[in-house]
């Protein structure tokens, strides 16, 4: 019989696995022209609207672009209200706080996600509870959620990883049955659809990031969307120190200083006017990558479930043994030619800050963290660049 490991032994083994997932970043030789993993495309009215802010002196969070952007973004997602913030992480924090989640509560998240999902829960004194992801979509596995629900569980936070929507019908069924909120972390999924409905419209509330590498951006920024008018009012109040209407400097809740500026919203509005084009470019690039990489032995191209519209925020691939060289060796070969990549998330249970909280196993998350990398994915990428990148991958697999 295998020896039962102590908690300390398990932790030591987990940290060894984590180290393997995060080797040194590959280095591009000096003088080689680089293709960045991402860059914003700012070719519409962004500049004109920013100048308008400067000319009219409206540079704080007061100003017409903020509301215009909020309304437009919410409408795009198919919901009624949008409340901007200064980052995706603060959007998540605000969304969870607005539902009254706090000390001692538990919130279910996938183990395969960015640190910010776990942090937003942690800021509130609540505890992130991890569920592994499914190999089919790289998202929260609906089968595994119920085993993690306790009397303290308040919400489920699905992430639409790299632009592929989570299995929302089944997640919603679990949430309904157990009386839990759904708070979507839709940071990576602007424009993604599940059975014809857009990301951001599935939960009580959803949070998006508008960081410069997201599908549309305000530089730094975020937005919370909801259909619930009361909740939208609460989000607005809490974003702004909890100021009340009845008296200035009169506070009944602990609010935050999380507002977006008019200048950021001006950029966002310029982006929003071209959102269909920016989303479609990501999809077209992914289709071209797929066609060039599908038959490369040992390369797994990203998932797309039949009912899903994957917007491929980042085009991620898995490098299997049959490829011939490891994921990290491939990353170095790409870097040699100026092609920037990122390895996938290191799962939350392996993060030094959170490792002590978890003793369960998350094999799919670990497999993705070990084998995954994403390729240049900006909306402004050219077909030529994609062909060059795919060619370098093909050659690397054939030992060239
Ligand atoms: C980008 C991202 C965030 C954080 O957004 P910031 O604007 O950088 O705070 C949160 N969750 C996920 C899944 C993300 O990809």
């Amino acid at each position: 019989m295998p020896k039962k490991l102590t908690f300390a032994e398990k932790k030591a083994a987990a940290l060894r696995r984590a180290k393997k997932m995060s080797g040194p970043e590959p280095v591009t030789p000096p003088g080689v022209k680089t293709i960045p993993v991402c860059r914003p495309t700012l070719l519409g009215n962004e500049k004109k609207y920013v100048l308008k802010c400067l000319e009219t002196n409206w540079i704080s969070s007061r100003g017409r672009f903020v509301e215009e952007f909020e309304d437009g973004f919410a409408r795009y997602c198919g919901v009624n209200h949008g409340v901007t913030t200064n980052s995706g992480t603060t959007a998540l924090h605000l969304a969870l706080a607005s539902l009254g989640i706090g000390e001692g509560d538990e919130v279910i998240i996938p183990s395969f996600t960015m640190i910010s999902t776990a942090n937003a829960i942690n800021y509130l004194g609540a505890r992130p509870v991890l569920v592994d992801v499914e190999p089919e979509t790289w998202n929260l596995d609906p089968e595994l959620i119920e085993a993690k629900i306790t009397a303290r569980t308040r919400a489920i936070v699905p992430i639409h990883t790299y632009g592929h929507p989570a299995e929302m019908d089944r997640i919603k069924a679990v949430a309904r049955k157990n009386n839990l909120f759904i708070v979507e972390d839709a940071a990576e999924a602007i424009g993604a659809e599940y059975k014809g409905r857009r990301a951001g419209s599935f939960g009580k509330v959803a949070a998006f990031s508008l960081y410069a590498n997201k599908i549309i951006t305000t530089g730094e920024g975020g937005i919370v969307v909801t259909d619930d008018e009361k909740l939208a009012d609460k989000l607005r109040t809490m974003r702004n120190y909890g100021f009340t209407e009845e008296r200035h400097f009169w506070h009944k809740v602990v609010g935050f200083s999380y507002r977006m500026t008019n200048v950021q919203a001006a950029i966002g509005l310029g982006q929003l006017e071209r959102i269909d084009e920016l989303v479609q470019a990501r999809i077209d690039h992914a289709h071209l990558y797929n066609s060039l990489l599908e038959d490369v032995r040992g390369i797994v191209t990203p998932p797309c479930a039949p009912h899903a519209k994957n917007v491929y925020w980042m085009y991620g691939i898995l490098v299997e043994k049959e490829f011939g060289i490891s994921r990290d060796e491939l990353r170095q070969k790409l870097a040699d030619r100026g092609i920037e990549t990122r390895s996938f998330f290191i799962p939350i249970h392996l993060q030094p800050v959170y490792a002590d909280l978890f003793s369960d196993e998350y094999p799919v998350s670990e497999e993705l963290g070990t084998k995954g990398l994403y390729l240049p994915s900006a909306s402004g990428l050219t077909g030529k660049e994609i062909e060059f990148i795919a060619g370098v991958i093909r050659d690397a697999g054939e030992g060239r």
Side-chain angles (χ1 to χ4, degrees):
M1 240 178 81
K3 178 171 150 279
K4 227 177 150 46
L5 296 179
T6 66
F7 187 78
E9 283 167 336
K10 273 189 178 171
K11 279 300 95 176
L15 285 175
R16 280 197 299 277
R17 296 198 301 280
K19 285 241 166 69
K20 272 208 244 164
M21 286 182 205
S22 58
E25 278 300 296
V27 181
T28 292
V32 176
K33 194 171 153 254
T34 60
I35 305 177
V37 111
C38 202
R39 64 192 156 202
T41 305
L42 304 165
L43 300 173
N45 286 322
E46 292 88 347
K47 186 173 171 186
K48 181 172 134 193
Y49 295 157
V50 167
L51 287 176
K52 186 143 263 167
C53 297
L54 299 177
E55 284 157 13
T56 57
N57 234 10
W58 287 101
I59 60 165
S60 78
S61 60
R62 300 271 191 102
R64 73 177 177 93
F65 291 134
V66 175
E67 276 178 31
E68 246 181 89
F69 176 71
E70 288 177 338
D71 290 348
F73 191 92
R75 214 175 314 119
Y76 177 78
C77 296
V79 299
N80 285 326
H81 308 280
V83 179
T84 48
T85 59
N86 52 7
S87 80
T89 307
T90 57
L92 264 175
H93 185 197
L94 187 66
L96 292 161
S98 75
L99 299 174
I101 290 167
E103 204 67 43
D105 290 337
E106 293 178 2
V107 178
I108 288 175
I109 64 171
S111 42
F112 186 68
T113 184
M114 202 213 157
I115 198 74
S116 124
T117 322
N119 284 352
I121 294 161
N122 195 29
Y123 298 157
L124 291 162
R127 202 170 87 85
V129 171
L130 305 182
V131 167
D132 205 1
V133 293
E134 47 173 16
E136 295 82 9
T137 66
W138 305 349
N139 285 319
L140 192 60
D141 189 336
E143 282 294 309
L144 305 177
I145 298 174
E146 275 199 302
K148 297 290 180 87
I149 294 175
T150 72
R152 299 185 147 187
T153 313
R154 300 284 313 281
I156 305 173
V157 182
I159 284 90
H160 309 301
T161 309
Y162 302 142
H164 191 296
E167 198 41 62
M168 290 314 301
D169 277 355
R170 290 169 65 204
I171 295 171
K172 272 166 88 168
V174 177
R176 207 174 303 121
K177 186 171 152 205
N178 295 279
N179 201 20
L180 306 175
F181 292 119
I182 289 181
V183 179
E184 292 172 73
D185 179 346
E188 305 183 352
I190 295 170
E193 291 175 19
Y194 173 82
K195 298 189 178 168
R197 284 182 59 183
R198 287 237 164 98
S201 66
F202 298 107
K204 178 82 173 161
V205 57
F208 289 87
S209 166
L210 298 161
Y211 179 64
N213 72 3
K214 305 294 167 156
I215 296 181
I216 71 164
T217 181
T218 58
E220 299 280 353
I223 183 166
V224 183
V225 299
T226 180
D227 254 339
D228 184 328
E229 189 172 354
K230 269 216 176 107
L231 193 64
D233 287 343
K234 193 168 176 192
L235 288 161
R236 290 208 165 84
T237 304
M238 289 183 80
R239 152 182 82 175
N240 189 29
Y241 314 108
F243 269 116
T244 43
E245 303 250 312
E246 46 189 291
R247 271 174 76 188
H248 209 71
F249 296 122
W250 185 249
H251 305 275
K252 297 189 201 163
V253 293
V254 181
F256 306 104
S257 180
Y258 280 176
R259 300 166 308 280
M260 173 181 280
T261 67
N262 203 41
V263 184
Q264 288 168 294
I267 298 172
L269 199 59
Q271 293 270 288
L272 193 59
E273 289 170 353
R274 304 183 54 230
I275 193 165
D276 292 336
E277 200 184 316
L278 293 169
V279 169
Q280 193 55 46
R282 283 324 226 239
I283 296 170
D284 292 345
H285 295 342
H287 290 166
L288 182 56
Y289 268 131
N290 280 345
S291 71
L292 296 166
L293 294 173
E294 249 155 17
D295 64 336
V296 177
R297 209 162 57 112
I299 294 292
V300 178
T301 56
C304 190
H307 53 262
K309 178 176 175 179
N310 186 349
V311 286
Y312 302 95
W313 167 60
M314 289 293 164
Y315 185 85
I317 58 174
L318 304 181
V319 181
E320 302 286 351
K321 264 212 171 63
E322 305 82 71
F323 185 65
I325 60 173
S326 73
R327 188 259 323 252
D328 293 341
E329 286 164 337
L330 173 60
R331 289 190 68 207
Q332 183 55 57
K333 285 205 175 237
L334 288 160
D336 287 342
R337 307 295 299 276
I339 301 159
E340 201 180 72
T341 60
R342 294 268 185 284
S343 46
F344 275 12
F345 303 127
I346 298 168
I348 300 294
H349 69 287
L350 298 181
Q351 296 291 344
V353 279
Y354 289 122
D356 283 349
L357 281 179
F358 308 105
S359 60
D360 292 352
E361 284 170 19
Y362 306 92
V364 182
S365 297
E366 289 197 20
E367 187 180 340
L368 294 173
T370 308
K371 295 178 177 172
L373 70 113
Y374 52 82
L375 300 172
S377 301
S379 295
L381 211 61
T382 66
K384 259 212 163 87
E385 287 173 317
I386 294 170
E387 281 165 16
F388 169 65
I389 295 162
V392 174
I393 295 174
R394 187 179 285 272
D395 285 354
E398 289 167 6
R400 278 186 291 227

